[in-house]
Amino acid sequence: MSPQTVLVKGARVLGGEPADLLLRDGVIAELGQSIDAGDARVVQADGLVALPGLVDLHTHLREPGREDAETVDTGTRAAALGGFTAVHAMANTDPVADTAGVVEQVWRLGREAGHADVRPVGAVTVGLAGERLAELGAMADSAANVRVFSDDGRCVDDAILMRRALEYVKAFDGVVAQHAQEPRLTEGAQMNEGELSGRLGLRGWPSVAEEAIIARDVLLAAHVGSRLHICHLSTRGSAEIVRLAKARGLPVTAEVTPHHLLLTEELVATYDARYKVNPPLRTADDVAAVREGLADGTIDIVATDHAPHPVEDKECEWDAAAFGMLGLETALSVVQHTMVDTGLLSWSDVADRMSFAPARIGRCDAGTAAQGRPLAVGEPANITLVDPSVSRTVDPWQSASLSRNSPYEGMKLPGQVVATFLRGRPTVEDGALT
Amino acid sequence: MSRDLSDFRTVLSEDEINRALARMAHEVVERNKGASDLVILGIPSRGVPLAGRLADRVSSVDGVDVPVGALDVTMYRDDLRLRPARALERTEIPPGGVDGKVVVFVDDVLFSGRTIRAALTALDDVGRPRAVRLAVLVDRGHRELPIRADHVGKNLPTSLRESVKVLLSETDGRDAVLVGAADDVVHHADAGEAR
Amino acid sequence: MIRHLLSAADLSRSDATLLLDTTEEMLRLTEGRSVKKLPTLRGRTVVNLFFEDSTRTRTSFELAAKRLSADVINFSAKGSSVSKGESLKDTALTLAAMGADGVVVRHSASGAPYRLASSGWIDARVLNAGDGTHEHPTQALLDAFTMRRHLGDLDGRKIVIVGDVLHGRVARSNVILLNTLGARVTLVAPPTLLPLGVENWPCDVSYHLDPVLPDADAVMMLRVQRERMNAAFFPSAREYSRRYGLDARRFGLLSDEAIVLHPGPMNRGMEITADVADSERSVIVEQVSNGVCVRMAALYLMLAGADETADDVHEGAA
């Protein structure tokens, strides 16, 4: 689509007073009251909140390898519908994104699809095997410009390997995003360990298995002076460790998923594998703790951990089912429901947790395709317009994703992304893909 | 039964029930030419206390202790699937068994005849009696099977819109047979027999 | 009556009592009779769907269904979706097409029977014959029935259950059911073989066996797999049996009326010594025969009647 001039009229910028935004040549050309439309196409945005385009630091696009579950194209369509203008594609594809070749392929597929910027995440270790470092520098220097490295799905549990990875990525300002899961404590684990797992006869995934790794990695990062990012933090104890680390001034960041902000382990009692996820749904106390953590800044960002799986991998016995949930199209609604409507976050805080901060951590907040920039004149016109006043019932069969494994099926959630602009070009308008 | 029976009229009083049982006891002895070889089996639930009373009277008529027991027919009914599964009642076959004996079934009300059909099938699994007879306190008609009672306390022509309630002191605190309007419109005799 | 028997927790006290009373009648009807077959489930089809080998349980359910004249299909589905064979869903659809009225499920995955019952794939009644480390409700019913025959009403009775509670489905179902019936249960095991949160279960917990034996009305010994020591649940089989095995000395601590149960199969010499297992107060063999009657009762109550949803114009039960 050729660049066009769009005038967004009357949007509440970051939830503040209504203003007009003129989008021209991919940037915000004007911002103010009663801007003259001229030849611009007008988008009426009365009552809508304007946010910077959302940035997801944790997305599984499944391509290459599991194109039956998701492709870069379908995953980024879902992203755009959810208000995202950039997603970080996790490395656990087949083949694994552990070489410059694979990350460039994923990056290029994203460019061709054009629904959102795709920022590949590189694997920390070859084949995610946890044995030797992947060519992190080659991935960083590739066209994909990788800055986030993660073996997500698996923990880099070998302490010396983790230390080396933390040290090595300093050379190109990268960050290791750790999937914190002590493997021996979680062998065969199926759900949060507690009274309920004992009752349901499902192997427990104890919170200590997450907390022990986070504690170790915080100390390792402090020791070698590296940045550390914690994926999908899910327990009160984890939040406390990160809070302590931040109090000591350590460069540790953490993410929480929408589902850990809303859902609790009680759902597992249905043995419906839609609720099977890693790390598992935790207790109501953990949910309260991660909400507090996100509110007070202990937890820096919300990341979806969008994990598509084909129907047959969920429509089976719990033990046999795959871990993971869809998240892109529902993330903002869940955040509104759990954080905004409860008064824990303002819309401007949401902009920070879902756009500015994730872009900063992923180091995609500068350069030609900068994301997570303020809504200000001269900045890239990456904008999400959300209507917080409507609510909708989630129907995964309407999803742009190839998969249907949404844990929110049938739930009524507030908020609807009305439009998404990627560098001035609408990817979503009137709640539908353009 | 939590039903309010105030609208029901009494068709047999306590005295009349006693007299009917006494007469039936004599008939049983007479028909059998004595009380030897008799086994009296009540069909739960109200057939069981009635069987006990009948056995006592037969014993006092003939001076012989008549074996008495109970035969639950629930699992032999042909209408099991028409209603939720019910608790089983106790089956109690006297120690001498029924082989070669004359079995007298006792029930409170004879209606469609399906209970007795089930009882005959159930008895097959217990043994092979020489003969089987049937004694009922009330025969209200509307048979759906070729079954008749040998000994009847009272023949009581009824409408299908009516319900017959037998109350016994053992289970209900008093003796009486009552007739009143059925709870639901009864479309066939079998449904009305449901307890 | 409940629609499916998935967990002992599905049973209210009156449901459980009805099941046990019905079992009593089943026992009376089949004991010492030349004709052991009842016509009750004629025309009904019961499928034994076993994703996990268990000759004992399958045979028990098969005999129970056959004694009620049901048509029985044994469907051994060793290749579950866990091993990339036919999926649970496809199996369920197959059984539905066969017209199964009741499905008895044994599965290595906890919750598989629950999934089958709630999925909408099949309309049949589902009976859990043991799922993973979750539950085994008919085993608990037969244990309770056996105890009731010897001890009378279980209200206030003291039952001690010893062994691997963590990996065992029998203990879980027993604690729930016995508690429902008013009994007081004490679990005895090394802390490693107790699930997290057991202190909130409706029972007492002890790490020591000797002190709880004198007050016990019944002791149930659970099978403990020797291989568990390889995963550090206990140091050695010898140490386990020394601390938690029921031997002649501990048997002597029991009151004269107390009985000994074991859901089988036994590890003689591990959790129970041969002399105790074969003693007069061991009711282990009786548990097996009672198992058939308990399953008859469950099949009767769940399959003989109409669906509660069916239009029912009959008078209520007296």
Side-chain angles (χ1 to χ4, degrees):
Chain A
M1 198 183 287
S2 59
Q4 54 179 317
T5 307
V6 174
L7 179 63
V8 176
K9 276 200 84 67
R12 295 163 51 209
V13 175
L14 306 191
E17 289 308 306
D20 298 350
L21 299 102
L22 186 70
L23 318 183
R24 187 190 294 134
D25 298 330
V27 298
I28 300 173
E30 290 182 52
L31 173 61
Q33 303 298 325
S34 310
I35 296 174
D36 179 28
D39 60 349
R41 195 158 63 80
V42 174
V43 173
Q44 287 295 345
D46 300 325
L48 306 187
V49 171
L51 297 173
L54 307 182
V55 176
D56 191 16
L57 201 62
H58 194 144
T59 314
H60 295 274
L61 293 177
R62 300 292 184 228
E63 191 175 2
R66 284 308 298 268
E67 290 83 355
D68 59 327
E70 196 79 287
T71 64
V72 171
D73 182 55
T74 59
T76 50
R77 283 170 187 268
L81 284 168
F84 291 89
T85 51
V87 295
H88 289 72
M90 274 298 170
N92 61 340
T93 49
D94 182 15
V96 170
D98 57 1
T99 61
V102 178
V103 293
E104 284 191 356
Q105 181 199 351
V106 172
W107 173 75
R108 194 169 302 116
L109 287 168
R111 286 235 307 191
E112 287 164 8
H115 307 294
D117 289 351
V118 174
R119 301 272 306 178
V121 173
V124 175
T125 65
V126 175
L128 309 177
E131 284 162 5
R132 38 196 192 89
L133 288 185
E135 290 186 348
L136 308 180
M139 291 188 274
D141 295 342
S142 74
N145 206 15
V146 175
R147 288 296 175 272
V148 181
F149 298 89
S150 181
D151 274 2
D152 180 65
R154 299 205 192 155
C155 182
V156 182
D157 65 305
D158 182 326
I160 192 65
L161 205 56
M162 185 63 183
R163 172 193 171 147
R164 297 294 181 233
L166 286 168
E167 288 176 305
Y168 194 80
V169 299
K170 283 201 281 188
F172 33 84
D173 198 20
V175 66
V176 176
Q178 175 69 294
H179 170 117
Q181 176 179 7
E182 208 294 316
R184 286 280 281 155
L185 283 173
T186 52
E187 274 172 23
Q190 298 293 328
M191 70 170 291
N192 182 46
E193 184 171 77
E195 193 185 340
L196 187 63
S197 64
R199 186 150 66 73
L200 297 178
L202 292 173
R203 194 82 69 87
W205 199 130
S207 47
V208 64
E210 176 175 309
E211 292 151 7
I213 292 292
I214 294 177
R216 181 201 73 177
D217 288 354
V218 162
L219 297 173
L220 273 178
H223 183 63
V224 299
S226 293
R227 287 204 288 149
L228 168 70
H229 179 72
I230 308 297
C231 295
H232 42 55
L233 181 153
S234 70
T235 75
R236 176 174 288 278
S238 297
E240 279 167 8
I241 294 164
V242 173
R243 192 172 283 122
L244 273 175
K246 288 195 162 168
R248 288 195 199 172
L250 300 175
V252 175
T253 55
E255 73 192 27
V256 63
T257 67
H259 46 271
H260 288 114
L261 285 172
L262 179 59
L263 309 177
T264 58
E265 61 171 358
E266 278 73 24
L267 291 165
V268 179
T270 61
Y271 291 105
D272 185 333
R274 275 184 305 168
Y275 305 116
K276 183 170 175 176
V277 66
N278 192 14
L281 299 180
R282 303 286 189 184
T283 66
D285 180 59
D286 292 309
V287 167
V290 294
R291 288 185 188 184
E292 282 162 30
L294 185 64
D296 71 15
T298 299
I299 298 170
D300 303 80
I301 65 169
V302 174
T304 66
D305 197 4
H306 177 83
H309 290 289
V311 170
E312 61 271 20
D313 287 354
K314 286 290 189 178
E315 247 187 7
C316 57
E317 302 89 328
W318 182 276
D319 283 10
F323 289 100
M325 301 172 164
L326 297 187
L328 286 169
E329 287 169 77
T330 45
L332 190 55
S333 288
V334 172
V335 169
Q336 184 190 335
H337 178 57
T338 58
M339 304 299 294
V340 179
D341 292 353
T342 53
L344 289 168
L345 289 185
S346 65
W347 283 109
S348 129
D349 295 329
V350 171
D352 176 62
R353 306 301 194 271
M354 297 186 77
S355 181
F356 304 148
R360 242 181 354 253
I361 295 166
R363 294 295 190 255
C364 59
D365 57 339
T368 49
Q371 292 278 350
R373 301 295 306 168
L375 294 180
V377 173
E379 294 288 356
N382 297 322
I383 299 171
T384 295
L385 297 177
V386 58
D387 184 350
S389 67
V390 298
S391 63
R392 59 180 167 140
T393 302
V394 178
D395 177 6
W397 295 92
Q398 303 293 320
S399 170
S401 168
L402 284 183
S403 293
R404 308 288 170 233
N405 53 303
S406 169
Y408 312 109
E409 179 168 4
M411 278 179 73
K412 206 168 180 186
L413 291 175
Q416 171 75 50
V417 171
V418 176
T420 308
F421 296 91
L422 176 60
R423 287 183 288 277
R425 178 173 60 81
T427 53
V428 169
E429 258 188 299
D430 296 328
L433 290 160
T434 54
Chain B
M1 193 161 311
S2 54
R3 276 195 71 190
D4 175 18
L5 297 177
S6 58
D7 292 341
F8 279 57
R9 65 177 199 280
T10 304
V11 292
L12 281 183
S13 67
E14 182 180 346
D15 280 352
E16 288 167 318
I17 289 173
N18 280 332
R19 278 202 296 279
L21 281 170
R23 175 171 52 72
M24 288 161 75
H26 281 282
E27 285 177 20
V28 168
V29 173
E30 195 168 312
R31 174 86 184 266
N32 200 51
K33 301 183 172 62
S36 59
D37 285 349
L38 275 182
V39 175
I40 297 184
L41 295 179
I43 296 171
S45 51
R46 287 182 181 70
V48 177
L50 281 175
R53 295 193 200 180
L54 189 67
D56 286 348
R57 288 189 160 83
V58 168
S59 301
S60 63
V61 168
D62 203 57
V64 193
D65 262 353
V66 178
V68 62
L71 183 68
D72 180 47
V73 306
T74 309
M75 288 197 292
Y76 295 85
R77 299 193 69 98
D78 61 5
D79 58 357
L80 269 175
R81 285 176 206 183
L82 299 179
R83 67 199 76 167
R86 292 177 294 178
L88 300 181
E89 304 270 1
R90 176 157 276 213
T91 290
E92 187 95 55
I93 305 300
V98 299
D99 287 349
K101 306 283 179 59
V102 173
V103 168
V104 179
F105 286 149
V106 180
D107 204 357
D108 53 350
V109 180
L110 179 59
F111 194 5
S112 69
R114 289 177 189 270
T115 302
I116 304 306
R117 188 210 60 81
L120 289 165
T121 316
L123 192 62
D124 264 354
D125 287 350
V126 177
R128 187 183 182 284
R130 180 154 57 83
V132 182
R133 298 199 181 115
L134 174 61
V136 298
L137 186 59
V138 173
D139 181 350
R140 62 168 294 189
H142 303 290
R143 212 76 74 245
E144 293 171 356
L145 294 170
I147 281 170
R148 60 162 179 78
D150 301 274
H151 313 292
V152 180
K154 184 175 177 63
N155 278 300
L156 188 67
T158 57
S159 145
L160 285 176
R161 296 179 184 283
E162 287 176 318
S163 171
V164 177
K165 305 286 176 199
V166 173
L167 306 180
L168 296 175
S169 56
E170 293 91 332
T171 49
D172 310 286
R174 63 174 171 130
D175 279 3
V177 177
L178 311 175
V179 173
D183 291 358
D184 304 298
V185 177
V186 179
H187 300 292
H188 55 100
D190 178 51
E193 204 172 43
R195 280 183 293 255
Chain C
M1 193 58 197
I2 53 172
R3 181 166 171 78
H4 305 289
L5 181 53
L6 306 175
S7 158
D10 296 341
L11 299 170
S12 66
R13 189 160 184 167
S14 66
D15 284 337
T17 305
L18 174 61
L19 264 159
L20 297 180
D21 290 348
T22 306
T23 304
E24 193 82 46
E25 284 310 306
M26 293 294 180
L27 190 63
R28 295 164 61 82
L29 287 172
T30 50
E31 237 176 11
R33 272 216 196 171
S34 52
V35 182
K36 286 192 168 163
K37 233 173 148 84
L38 295 157
T40 318
L41 294 183
R42 213 158 42 195
R44 295 283 207 202
T45 301
V46 174
V47 176
N48 283 324
L49 177 59
F50 276 58
F51 288 89
E52 189 182 69
D53 274 336
S54 173
T55 312
R56 303 161 66 95
T57 307
R58 185 183 52 71
T59 312
S60 182
F61 267 107
E62 185 173 352
L63 202 53
K66 284 183 168 166
R67 283 193 180 163
L68 292 171
S69 303
D71 295 321
V72 181
I73 298 171
N74 286 317
F75 203 100
S76 166
K78 287 286 285 298
S80 68
S81 60
V82 184
S83 57
K84 292 295 167 200
E86 190 180 49
S87 74
L88 184 65
K89 179 181 179 177
D90 289 327
T91 306
L93 294 174
T94 305
L95 300 183
M98 285 177 180
D101 298 295
V103 181
V104 175
V105 196
R106 170 78 151 226
H107 205 297
S108 58
S110 298
Y114 193 99
R115 199 80 181 94
L116 201 60
S118 59
S119 61
W121 302 326
I122 186 168
D123 194 32
R125 307 296 184 103
V126 177
L127 288 89
N128 182 359
D131 62 327
T133 55
H134 178 222
E135 284 215 44
H136 195 353
T138 59
Q139 176 71 43
L141 281 162
L142 77 88
D143 291 335
F145 180 74
T146 307
M147 289 182 224
R148 204 177 74 157
R149 291 215 101 201
H150 288 270
L151 307 173
D153 191 346
L154 296 181
D155 195 77
R157 291 293 191 167
K158 296 192 178 70
I159 316 293
V160 173
I161 300 175
V162 189
D164 187 351
V165 179
L166 182 65
H167 303 94
R169 47 198 169 204
V170 176
R172 216 171 252 93
S173 292
N174 260 297
V175 168
I176 296 167
L177 181 67
L178 290 170
N179 182 64
T180 300
L181 292 168
R184 292 185 45 199
V185 181
T186 303
L187 293 174
V188 181
T192 45
L193 291 178
L194 290 166
L196 211 73
V198 73
E199 61 277 4
N200 295 323
W201 289 20
C203 61
D204 294 327
V205 175
S206 168
Y207 302 140
H208 303 283
L209 184 50
D210 285 8
V212 301
L213 288 176
D215 276 347
D217 294 300
V219 182
M220 183 185 307
M221 305 304 296
L222 301 176
R223 179 181 172 82
V224 174
Q225 290 175 352
R226 287 169 204 272
E227 308 81 68
R228 298 283 180 217
M229 71 185 189
N230 299 328
F233 287 103
F234 47 85
S236 69
R238 200 172 47 192
E239 172 153 331
Y240 181 86
S241 53
R242 207 182 297 130
R243 290 179 68 86
Y244 296 101
L246 190 61
D247 56 13
R249 181 189 66 79
R250 290 205 169 101
F251 189 65
L253 296 176
L254 289 166
S255 79
D256 291 343
E257 289 76 35
I259 55 169
V260 175
L261 299 96
H262 193 301
M266 278 184 282
N267 267 326
R268 287 176 186 245
M270 177 78 181
E271 68 267 0
I272 192 165
T273 57
D275 48 342
V276 174
D278 298 332
S279 82
E280 279 190 356
R281 273 147 56 202
S282 152
V283 296
I284 296 166
V285 176
E286 203 186 313
Q287 284 174 273
V288 178
S289 58
N290 289 343
V292 177
C293 294
V294 156
R295 284 154 188 146
M296 286 174 76
L299 289 170
Y300 163 69
L301 289 172
M302 293 176 68
L303 295 179
D307 281 357
E308 277 90 44
T309 49
D311 185 29
D312 187 0
V313 296
H314 304 283
E315 292 179 39

